[in-house]
Amino acid sequence: MPKRVDHDQRRRHIAGALLRIAEQRGLQHASMREVAAEAEVSVRLVQYYFHTKDELLLAALGYLGEELGARVARRLENLGSPPPPRDVIHATLTAVLPTDAESVRLTRTYAAFYSLVLAEPQLTRHGAPQPDLLERFLANQLRAAQQTGVAHADLDPDLTASGLLALTNGLGSSVLGGQRDAEAALRVLTYHLDRLFVAEPPAAS
Amino acid sequence: MPKRVDHDQRRRHIAGALLRIAEQRGLQHASMREVAAEAEVSVRLVQYYFHTKDELLLAALGYLGEELGARVARRLENLGSPPPPRDVIHATLTAVLPTDAESVRLTRTYAAFYSLVLAEPQLTRHGAPQPDLLERFLANQLRAAQQTGVAHADLDPDLTASGLLALTNGLGSSVLGGQRDAEAALRVLTYHLDRLFVAEPPAAS
DNA sequence: GCTTTCATGGTACGACCGTACCATCAAGAG
DNA sequence: CTCTTGATGGTACGGTCGTACCATGAAAGC
């Protein structure tokens, strides 16, 4: 046997190069040659680890999803234990709002893939269950907040959770598009979050 | 002089072909040759009316903006006079939410341009003042609704208007992405709209 | 009636694309 | 030691891209 190589590491390295190009210059410039140059490997090697360009794109999108999930998880771990639902919701939403360098990078890269998967849905035939999952998570946090009395009781948790996620995505788009800066977006998000929770939470029992 | 031709009409015809391709197959497939074929003209003619591809893209984006503005205006005209602010807001937001065939077409086409202008901002150096304008319009409608007592008085009109627009854009993205159908999006939007207005408006004075 | 000029067609050029093909090197198996 | 095989490099092929170039009708001005 010749030298064995960690395929997963190589694939992540190359896919990372594609994600960097996608974020900085858009997927239009993510050709096999450009990706190879960015990863500092030969084009042949890109072909070797990803037999076709579609496979490379799909894998890169998967890694990107992993990165975003890891960011959300990391931010949730940094909260106290048990974390107040309001902090959980705030941390989750600001994790996907382009406010710092990492979230700008992630959301910009996602945006680069957005119109591609719109135009070629066969790339991701396994329907992404991610967003639905996040919505359910947020709705459950809202329900918990209602039961402890910190969130208004008359809220519909499902509709509110859907709205919060859509609001955050819309704000993120406007930030990336330059129509608003991150602080303004955060102000809008915080304002709407404030309206869901009671001003004076009941004294701890 | 030889036969004169209405340049504006020819440009709209060709740009319309590009917009059709962008909506149906994405801007990746909007090459000069494909646009010419879709418009049923020669490639030379596309070059003649748009000296470069960037000029074609930019003009098409402008025409698309015109179309969307016309749709919003048309829907606003169909309201009674004077139209209640709540109806104005609802009509404006549902105009940009992909609920019927026309709005799906418009938002899909916009989405196709989105990542392009993110990647190549020099395409639109004249910063689009459109969204800010729409936000101000919505904020003013909210203020009017507050003064007549149909909207809650403690709302911040600017932050609320920004939120409504971002919410609608986020909902639109999820509809186009297939994570939600149009009815579900409309349900979320209506729910949030309902929360802004008082349940029982004061009797007309 | 010639000549200018707008509108249009066809095509060629250089660049880049994704991918297939043909090699070579090196390390473990026998 | 040889042979198999995983990892890698280089390159060529067919295709499409945006654009430049060279044409040709046809209508209006003189």
Side-chain angles (χ1 to χ4, degrees), chain B residues 45-117:
Chain B
L45 218 63
V46 182
Q47 281 187 276
Y48 183 69
Y49 288 102
F50 305 93
H51 308 76
T52 173
K53 190 188 179 182
D54 280 2
E55 192 181 327
L56 169 58
L57 284 168
L58 194 55
L61 186 54
Y63 291 136
L64 180 60
E66 278 186 24
E67 266 195 85
L68 184 59
R71 175 180 159 98
V72 174
R74 195 177 339 117
R75 296 186 121 234
L76 288 180
E77 283 166 10
N78 284 349
L79 297 177
S81 160
R86 161 154 196 169
D87 290 355
V88 173
I89 293 175
H90 185 267
T92 306
L93 294 179
T94 54
V96 299
L97 195 66
T99 50
D100 57 6
E102 189 191 28
S103 53
V104 168
R105 181 174 62 83
L106 291 172
T107 51
R108 270 184 68 89
T109 315
Y110 256 116
F113 276 91
Y114 176 59
S115 41
L116 179 67
V117 302

Side-chain angles (χ1 to χ4, degrees), chain A residues 51-72:
Chain A
H51 309 76
T52 172
K53 190 187 179 184
D54 279 2
E55 192 182 327
L56 168 59
L57 285 169
L58 195 54
L61 186 54
Y63 291 137
L64 179 61
E66 278 185 24
E67 267 196 83
L68 185 59
R71 175 182 160 96
V72 173

